[in-house]
């Protein structure tokens, strides 16, 4: 009689023989080294090797089971000699089912990075190995994968092909970022300060990722100081702080320089008024020159601060763009961001050494003639002003008729303000006031010389420094269009004083009144003769008829 197989034996005893892939339940009856014997019923025992005892690594079977433990396992092999089981396969089956379900419904699973391979990572999905491509690791491409080794995070199953499982993390991160971005945008306000990382640099600015939101720092908002290209001040990966300056739907404008101290604030902490520095001339203008005295800090040297020699100096005579120059700080205004500089104040102020006082008479050189008067240099770097009203005691005398540019003249100091750096000078007060010495009264006849003729009349000099005015209507009785019809320059004439106010330097004359006075005198003399003749004639008739009048009586 032939020997019966295990399957035939079990069938004979009314028991179904387990087949490969079946899930059976049994009880541990023996543990020997690397093997575990399990009673699966029907008088049959099955074997589980250590490698199939757990999905996790164990060094001994006692670490996973004990005598009497009830276990569930998958039949891996059935032969006449033995039945092999696998506990690990049960867990793998369950995990595969969960993976397939996750693929169907799009749910997320937890994965742990176990290895870095070419093109991505191998991850463990609770005992099942899956591949995570580098392109699916984040919303941005990750070049260095080393930092992900051992990390655990959520993934989504992308595909299962021929037992190979591919997963993605990118989609989950994108969804998380969108949700976080929507929340962040609702709570973000202009003026908020944020911390982030530079993720991209373009020709027009740098993009900064701060949490779930990305903002643009325009190149004009990167730094207070000038730079040629953005990479000179920022690098991808830099941690930066910025201020929100614009919110336009999901577009965020940021400013790095708004959270940084301004160059002038830094400058103010390390410099003070009076400091002398070496600066670089940036630009030259009619009103002055801008000089860079620190990175991002430019000060103005006004034309009035170029030289003590002249307040009206030409900037280009002193400074050239691109050249270096010594400057002195005379004012720092942090609020307005302005620094005032001086070149001339590096030297001592010549006004401090000026020893003149009001009343002093000095010799100076005429530097210029203007509408208001003459500027006269009376000491090194010091010009005083002789107002046109102080040119002459005679109101009709013009300043330009008395002095010319380059003339050396004597002047008297009539006012002095060192604080405002002003000196008032007088040409006429060097001599005594001739009006005080003039002894004429209204009605006097004076002799003078014609020194000027104009449409209004003639100016007549009646004494040194004293010029009177002869109106055109007081020259002659007949109507004149211009005084030169009867008068000539330098002609000597006689005129009558019609108005005299020495305190206001006013002397008015009349030639016409002299003639009228002469005519009036002739008429008065004639009338006097006539009156006398009438009187004498009346006396003779009286004598003639005296006796007749007596007889009538």
């Amino acid at each position: 009689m032939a020997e019966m197989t295990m399957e035939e034996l079990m069938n004979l005893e009314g028991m179904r023989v387990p087949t490969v892939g079946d899930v059976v339940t049994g009880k541990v009856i023996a543990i020997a080294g690397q093997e575990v014997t399990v009673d699966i019923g029907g008088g049959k025992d099955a074997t589980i090797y250590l490698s199939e005892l757990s999905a996790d690594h164990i060094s001994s079977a006692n670490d996973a089971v004990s005598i009497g433990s009830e276990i569930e396992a998958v039949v891996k092999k059935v032969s006449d000699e033995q039945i092999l089981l696998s506990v690990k396969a049960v867990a793998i089956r369950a995990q595969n089912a969960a993976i397939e379900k996750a693929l169907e419904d799009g749910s997320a699973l937890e994965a742990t990075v176990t290895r870095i391979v070419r093109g991505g990572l191998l991850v463990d999905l609770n005992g099942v190995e899956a591949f995570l491509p580098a392109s699916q690791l984040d919303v941005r491409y990750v070049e260095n994968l080393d930092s992900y080794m051992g990390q655990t995070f959520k993934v989504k199953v992308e595909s299962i092909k021929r037992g190979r499982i591919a997963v993605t993390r990118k989609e989950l991160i994108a969804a998380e970022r969108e949700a976080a971005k929507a929340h962040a945008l609702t709570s973000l306000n202009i003026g908020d300060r944020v911390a982030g990382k530079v993720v991209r640099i373009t020709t027009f600015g740098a993009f900064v990722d701060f949490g779930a939101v990305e903002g643009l720092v325009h190149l004009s908002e990167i730094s207070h100081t000038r730079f040629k290209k953005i990479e000179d001040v920022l690098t991808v990966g830099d941690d930066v702080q910025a201020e929100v300056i614009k919110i336009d739907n999901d577009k965020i404008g940021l400013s790095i320089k708004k959270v940084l101290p301004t160059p002038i604030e830094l400058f103010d902490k390390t410099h003070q008024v009076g400091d002398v520095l070496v600066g670089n001339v940036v630009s030259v203008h009619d009103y002055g020159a801008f000089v860079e005295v620190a990175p991002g800090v430019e000060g103005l040297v006004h034309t009035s601060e170029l030289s003590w020699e002249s307040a009206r100096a030409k900037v280009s005579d002193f400074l050239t763009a691109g050249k270096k120059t010594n400057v002195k700080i005379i004012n720092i205004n942090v609020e307005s961001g302005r620094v005032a500089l001086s070149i001339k104040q590096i030297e001592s102020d010549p006004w401090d050494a000026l020893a003149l006082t009001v009343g002093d008479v000095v010799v100076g050189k005429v530097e210029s003639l203007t509408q208001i008067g003459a500027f006269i240099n009376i000491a090194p770097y010091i010009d005083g002003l002789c107002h046109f009203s102080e040119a002459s005691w005679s109101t009709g005398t013009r300043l330009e008729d008395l002095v010319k540019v380059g003339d050396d003249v004597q002047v008297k100091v009539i006012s002095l303000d060192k604080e405002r750096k002003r000196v008032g000078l007088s040409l006429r007060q060097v001599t005594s006031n001739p009006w005080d010495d003039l002894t004429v009264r209204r009605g006097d006849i004076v002799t003078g010389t014609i020194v000027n003729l104009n449409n209004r009349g003639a100016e007549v000099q009646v004494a040194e420094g004293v010029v009177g005015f002869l109106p055109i209507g007081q020259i002659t009785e007949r109507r004149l269009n211009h005084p030169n019809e009867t008068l000539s320059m330098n002609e000597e004439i006689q005129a009558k004083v019609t108005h005299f106010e020495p305190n206001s330097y006013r002397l008015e004359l009349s030639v016409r009144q002299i003639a009228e006075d002469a005519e009036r005198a002739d008429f008065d003399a004639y009338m006097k003769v006539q009156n006398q003749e009438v009187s004498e004639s009346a006396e003779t008739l009286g004598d003639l008829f005296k006796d007749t009048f007596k007889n009538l009586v």
Side-chain angles (χ1 to χ4, degrees), residues 213-239:
V213 183
E214 189 176 276
L216 170 64
V217 184
H218 189 266
L219 58 88
S220 63
E221 293 294 331
I222 290 176
S223 175
H224 291 291
T225 57
R226 292 188 180 95
F227 54 86
K228 290 184 178 179
K229 56 182 181 178
I230 299 175
E231 288 82 356
D232 292 338
V233 289
L234 285 179
T235 304
V236 172
D238 283 351
D239 292 317

Side-chain angles (χ1 to χ4, degrees), residues 16 98 136 213 234 267 272 295 319 357 387 425 445 477 546:
R16 189 180 73 82
Q136 296 298 313
V213 183
L234 285 179
F267 184 79
Q272 60 186 356
L319 298 173
T357 59
H387 193 266
L425 304 174
I445 305 297
E477 290 181 355
K546 179 170 61 173

Side-chain angles (χ1 to χ4, degrees), residues 320-387:
T320 304
K323 300 292 185 180
K324 294 189 180 299
T325 182
N326 292 328
V327 289
K328 185 175 184 179
I329 301 172
I330 57 177
N331 186 47
I332 302 174
N333 190 325
V334 176
E335 193 171 314
S336 65
R338 295 177 179 176
V339 178
L341 305 172
S342 176
I343 292 176
K344 73 179 186 181
Q345 291 191 38
I346 295 175
E347 302 176 9
S348 60
D349 191 340
W351 287 85
D352 294 338
L354 187 65
L356 294 177
T357 59
V358 173
D360 288 350
V361 175
V362 295
V363 175
K365 184 183 291 293
V366 179
E367 294 290 334
S368 63
L369 294 173
T370 69
Q371 289 183 338
I372 61 173
F375 284 94
I376 301 171
N377 181 249
I378 57 172
Y381 307 130
I382 295 178
D383 290 350
L385 172 64
C386 176
H387 193 266

Side-chain angles (χ1 to χ4, degrees), residues 139 169-179:
V139 290
R169 180 171 175 255
K170 181 178 181 179
E171 187 178 331
L172 292 174
I173 290 180
E176 289 173 1
R177 286 180 64 87
E178 283 301 316

